[in-house]
Amino acid sequence: MTMQTLKLPARALAPAILALTVGGCANLGTQGEPVLPKTAKYPKDQAVALLLPTSAEGRLGAAVDAIEAGYSAALMRDPQFSRKPITQDTGSDARAAYEKVAKTAQPPLIIGPLLKNDVNAVAEARTASSPAMLALNEANQSRAGMYQFALAPEDEAKTAARLINGLRDAGGRPLSTAIVYPSDDPWGERMRSAFVGALDEGPSAEVAYTSGQPGNLGAKIEAADIVFMVARPKEAAGVYTALGGSTAGVPVIASSHAADNKSDAADKAGLFYVDVPWLVNQDMAREYIARSPDKPKSDHTKGELGRLYAMGIDAYYLGALVANGGSGAGTPLQLPAGMTGDLSFTNTGRMMSRRLSLGRIGASGVTGPATTEDLAAAVKAADTAKAAEASASAANARRIQG
């Protein structure tokens, strides 16, 4: 039997409708500029419940505010769905909050919880008759009708690997790749593992450094045609400089954190990075907010809060897909041009892939979108420079011998 995927179209030339299309794997590379449909096409009179720790303060409270603001912005831009969601606080007991809305006479579509422990608790409480649900994190297990939408940093490493898989050197051979990552950070090891696992060819070098003390890394990547750099925001400029910076001789792709710290952006000129489309194309993000009826109180066009605001937007559109076919039906879902990436889910509700966008930091430190052609051109330029240097060295050696 042919498996079908419930999908929102990436380009909406007319008021969008939900369509069933033959399922398939997402294309490799990076997605184009997101163009979400004019309407998510929720079922008529569909009720929605948001399960979030709304009583939280500090960083978690700011994260909740960003997700709610993104969801609200998407809802208010939708001309066909004005039904506001009910919000249930999961701050004290996520399972109790879930059961309160799930056991009503006409249970709503549930979006949330956000925290991993809360998602696990709710997953344990679900049965075959539970209402459709879009969790905002990953659980340790799958449950019928529960789709799991998470912004896993490993998706950045996988996107970088897929980009590299599609490139070739001047001789048509796969590129020789190095990965540079912090050895004293569990996040760095997860990123390393995800990147190496997604590469078609094993890396020529795995270079670990100590946070805050990268040392001279240039000599350790000499055999590489391209480098994937994993670094926290405050360390990215230092690690990039330790690789040689814009004169490293090879293109460097970094994880999203590299573009978060704007104070040292000029020191990262030439650096490629992968991130959610919402942050790579900030002009698009600012225009989206400017056209939204409800303006956010904080700047949601940068950093972690920007990613979470984009998650709220995508949660609104994914919710429609889940409501239209996700409740226990074992239906794969796809949102091919979301603000957090090109998203696809398996028939068990697990995220199959999240394809991100490619950006680059310019000479003045300004970030902006980049293309796979830009990356290929950088590889070619580095290859040409290496060949010219080798030719010059050989000529010099001949002169000395002669």
Side-chain angles (χ1 to χ4, degrees):
M1 184 175 74
T2 301
M3 182 67 72
Q4 292 185 309
T5 300
L6 201 58
K7 175 180 179 181
L8 277 175
R11 293 287 186 267
L13 300 179
I17 59 172
L18 287 172
L20 285 172
T21 64
V22 176
C25 297
N27 294 328
L28 300 181
T30 54
Q31 72 164 70
E33 179 178 323
V35 181
L36 291 170
K38 292 181 180 179
T39 176
K41 204 70 175 182
Y42 272 83
K44 186 179 180 181
D45 299 325
Q46 174 67 60
V48 177
L50 299 181
L51 269 58
L52 295 169
T54 53
S55 58
E57 299 179 350
R59 290 183 63 186
L60 179 56
V64 172
D65 289 344
I67 292 172
E68 284 189 305
Y71 183 94
S72 177
L75 182 149
M76 295 184 73
R77 288 167 62 102
D78 190 337
Q80 296 186 22
F81 189 67
S82 58
R83 192 183 184 100
K84 291 186 177 181
I86 60 172
T87 302
Q88 195 71 35
D89 184 19
T90 59
S92 59
D93 190 335
R95 181 165 178 163
Y98 164 78
E99 291 178 338
K100 182 177 181 179
V101 297
K103 293 182 178 180
T104 57
Q106 293 183 321
L109 165 71
I110 296 172
I111 298 179
L114 174 62
L115 303 180
K116 186 175 182 67
N117 287 342
D118 291 347
V119 175
N120 280 326
V122 168
E124 292 175 358
R126 286 184 65 82
T127 66
S129 61
S130 294
M133 173 178 163
L134 176 70
L136 300 180
N137 211 321
E138 292 180 329
N140 294 334
Q141 56 190 313
S142 299
R143 281 290 186 264
M146 185 179 82
Y147 290 82
Q148 302 174 34
F149 175 32
L151 303 186
E154 290 89 342
D155 295 331
E156 300 173 13
K158 294 174 184 177
T159 295
R162 289 166 180 161
L163 282 167
I164 292 170
N165 288 340
L167 299 173
R168 294 292 182 269
D169 66 13
R173 297 175 294 272
L175 299 186
S176 175
T177 308
I179 175 171
V180 177
Y181 66 100
S183 60
D184 55 345
D185 188 334
W187 163 76
E189 172 54 32
R190 294 201 312 271
M191 295 288 277
R192 183 208 65 80
S193 178
F195 178 76
V196 172
L199 276 178
D200 287 344
E201 302 280 340
S204 63
E206 296 184 23
V207 181
Y209 65 88
T210 302
S211 298
Q213 299 176 335
N216 182 8
L217 302 176
K220 300 178 180 180
I221 61 165
E222 288 181 345
D225 298 313
I226 194 166
V227 175
F228 177 54
M229 182 185 94
V230 180
R232 298 284 188 181
K234 293 183 178 179
E235 297 187 329
V239 177
Y240 185 49
T241 299
L243 290 168
S246 59
T247 61
V250 294
V252 180
I253 308 177
S255 51
S256 65
H257 289 84
D260 281 355
N261 189 357
K262 306 301 182 183
S263 63
D264 58 6
D267 296 330
K268 297 175 287 192
L271 182 66
F272 290 92
Y273 63 96
V274 289
D275 205 344
V276 298
W278 177 261
L279 294 187
V280 169
N281 191 338
Q282 292 192 341
D283 289 341
M284 176 271 298
R286 293 187 186 99
E287 181 181 0
Y288 184 96
I289 290 176
R291 292 177 179 270
S292 297
D294 187 22
K295 306 296 187 295
K297 297 177 181 179
S298 302
D299 184 0
H300 290 143
T301 62
K302 60 184 179 181
E304 204 59 40
L305 292 182
R307 296 182 187 98
L308 292 169
Y309 184 87
M311 185 183 201
I313 296 173
D314 284 353
Y316 175 78
Y317 288 96
L318 287 170
L321 292 174
V322 174
N324 275 281
S327 184
T331 309
L333 304 182
Q334 186 176 8
L335 182 66
M339 296 297 188
T340 60
D342 183 335
L343 313 175
S344 59
F345 299 80
T346 68
N347 60 347
T348 64
R350 293 282 188 179
M351 182 169 279
M352 182 167 64
S353 69
R354 183 168 69 96
R355 188 180 54 163
L356 303 174
S357 289
L358 180 67
R360 194 176 193 184
I361 301 176
S364 60
V366 177
T367 59
T371 66
T372 51
E373 289 77 13
D374 294 331
L375 187 60
V379 170
K380 183 178 180 180
D383 195 45
T384 301
K386 284 182 179 180
E389 182 179 352
S391 178
S393 296
N396 187 50
R398 288 193 297 271
R399 282 196 300 270
I400 293 174
Q401 292 173 358

